Amino acid sequence: MKIPVIILGGFLGSGKTTLLLTLLKESKARGLNPGVVMNELGKKDVDGYILQEHTGANVEKLLDGCVCCSRKEELPRSLSALLARQPDIIYIELTGVADPEEIAKSLLEPALSERLALHYSLTLLDAENALEYSSRFTADKQLVRTLRKQITSADLIIVNKSDLVEQDTLWRIEKMISKHNTDSEIVFTHYSEINLAPLLAGIVPREPRSAAVQRGNRAMSGTPLKRMGGSHGQGATALQEPELRQQASYSQVSAVTLTFPQEGEDGIGREELEDFFHEWGDRLLRAKGHVRLAGQETVQLVQYAGSRCTWEASRYPGQPYVVFIGLNLDEKQLTDRWSALFS
């Protein structure tokens, strides 16, 4: 029996990790043993640590690059490592600039296709920013193409943060999605909250379950989602044509990881750090990390996306850091300004 794989795609800050956390918790509640491949552009692992801290899941981490292009050769090794732990389901969370079609094609390779089967491909959109992506990133045609593929290849498109925009914007987003993908289901939500039952329908533990877990699974059953024949069938064949062979998924996006000074030196204030994020304007697409604020002993997890900042307590034990992801970031300029904050 092949292990089902669910791909989670979507642009930076759209809510993929939040959804994955919920999927992992629900998987374990159903008696499933989930495995995760977590891909991050930065050299430091933020999301993988969050998953392990909250769920204890088996996580294979691919850092410092995108698994659909520069880190593509490492995907089979990561999946093989997970398979050795006998998972019931595998989740692959992509970077925000990854092409899900390339990952779906990788699962068709002989070494993987005998043991794995693509179950669903999900794409999350940020309702506040989805309509602006094409115009905002016109200078990076590869990125624009990738964002479009994130829509065209999905079985389910989740329009997240829908509570932050007007109804007219949601109608325009739905029209935009339908222009590129007429087959996928569309869900409007916030905090990445969706009905998980259809996604997990039919997936059962490989090991015997208790009667209580079996009853729980029957109670949570739901109608399976539609599957797109084009994206995983004819579409996958068409992508093998020479004129559509793989290209890089972006050209001007880069990640810079900056660490905090050694313990004992001054930290930074919350407002000061948020102002630093805003200082880079549209060039900064995403920032996240475990930080030490001035006057506080505990570390905080900070997440910046779409000009919004969120904070929560963290138990990260290492040296605090922040990963900056943006368009044409000047690493020296960023590093110099960062150092000036602590001088």
Side-chain angles (χ1 to χ4, degrees):
M1 182 177 175
K2 295 183 180 182
I3 307 302
V5 176
I6 293 181
I7 298 174
L8 285 80
F11 194 58
L12 299 159
S14 57
K16 297 185 295 295
T17 303
T18 301
L19 175 59
L20 181 53
L21 276 170
T22 308
L23 282 165
L24 289 173
K25 292 175 181 177
E26 178 61 26
S27 296
K28 295 206 167 186
R30 290 166 171 254
L32 300 172
N33 174 30
V36 178
V37 174
M38 169 70 66
N39 183 208
E40 297 203 49
L41 284 176
K43 296 180 180 180
K44 287 279 191 175
D45 168 39
V46 180
D47 295 338
Y49 178 80
I50 295 172
L51 296 179
Q52 290 176 314
E53 181 181 26
H54 287 273
T55 69
N58 293 316
V59 180
E60 285 292 318
K61 305 169 186 177
L62 294 172
L63 307 179
D64 195 23
C66 190
V67 72
C68 74
C69 40
S70 63
R71 290 288 181 266
K72 188 173 183 179
E73 293 183 357
E74 298 177 28
L75 180 60
R77 291 195 293 270
S78 295
L79 289 170
S80 295
L82 284 181
L83 285 169
R85 302 168 197 168
Q86 297 187 328
D88 300 307
I89 184 170
I90 292 177
Y91 299 102
I92 302 178
E93 182 184 342
L94 305 179
T95 70
V97 292
D99 177 0
E101 281 191 348
E102 290 300 323
I103 307 308
K105 286 170 59 181
S106 296
L107 299 180
L108 298 176
E109 296 177 1
L112 298 175
S113 62
E114 295 180 358
R115 304 187 64 186
L116 300 173
L118 180 58
H119 190 61
Y120 287 117
S121 182
L122 316 179
T123 290
L124 286 88
L125 298 180
D126 176 352
E128 280 195 298
N129 298 285
L131 293 174
E132 301 176 4
Y133 289 156
S134 293
S135 58
R136 184 177 176 184
F137 304 135
T138 50
D140 192 337
K141 297 186 184 304
Q142 293 167 316
L143 178 57
V144 172
R145 184 183 62 249
T146 296
L147 296 179
R148 187 167 298 169
K149 283 187 176 181
Q150 290 178 354
I151 294 175
T152 60
S153 65
D155 298 308
L156 173 66
I157 296 177
I158 302 165
V159 183
N160 197 29
K161 307 181 186 180
S162 296
D163 55 320
L164 301 179
V165 300
E166 299 296 330
Q167 183 62 48
D168 179 66
T169 299
L170 298 180
W171 286 334
R172 292 166 59 203
I173 291 174
E174 184 173 16
K175 182 178 179 181
M176 179 270 291
I177 294 172
S178 298
K179 177 181 177 182
H180 300 294
N181 187 335
T182 58
D183 296 316
S184 69
E185 295 194 18
I186 304 172
V187 175
F188 295 89
T189 189
H190 56 281
Y191 299 112
S192 301
E193 295 176 353
I194 64 170
N195 178 15
L196 302 179
L199 290 176
L200 300 176
I203 301 176
V204 297
R206 295 156 62 93
E207 299 297 327
R209 296 165 292 166
S210 68
V213 172
Q214 290 182 22
R215 288 195 298 271
N217 283 349
R218 285 198 296 269
M220 287 295 294
S221 63
T223 304
L225 295 171
K226 293 184 297 183
R227 290 298 305 276
M228 288 177 56
S231 65
H232 306 143
Q234 296 177 353
T237 302
L239 285 169
Q240 297 171 8
E241 296 298 326
E243 65 272 20
L244 293 177
R245 62 182 179 271
Q246 179 196 359
Q247 302 180 54
S249 60
Y250 59 91
S251 63
Q252 299 179 28
V253 178
S254 60
V256 178
T257 302
L258 299 177
T259 57
F260 276 62
Q262 294 294 326
E263 194 168 349
E265 300 184 37
D266 290 339
I268 189 173
R270 176 178 295 196
E271 291 186 4
E272 189 176 8
L273 183 56
E274 291 187 5
D275 287 343
F276 185 79
F277 292 152
H278 290 293
E279 177 180 331
W280 305 95
D282 287 343
R283 282 184 292 168
L284 184 61
L285 304 174
R286 184 86 163 95
K288 54 186 176 180
H290 303 277
V291 309
R292 186 179 66 251
L293 297 174
Q296 294 189 14
E297 295 183 2
T298 59
V299 174
Q300 294 281 311
L301 169 66
V302 61
Q303 305 250 22
Y304 174 84
S307 299
R308 294 181 182 272
C309 245
T310 60
W311 298 82
E312 62 181 277
S314 169
R315 291 180 291 183
Y316 180 71
Q319 184 179 5
Y321 65 92
V322 179
V323 177
F324 296 82
I325 303 173
L327 286 167
N328 298 312
L329 289 179
D330 185 325
E331 184 171 357
K332 183 179 185 308
Q333 182 185 24
L334 187 61
T335 302
D336 290 345
R337 283 288 298 117
W338 179 254
S339 299
L341 293 178
F342 301 94
S343 62

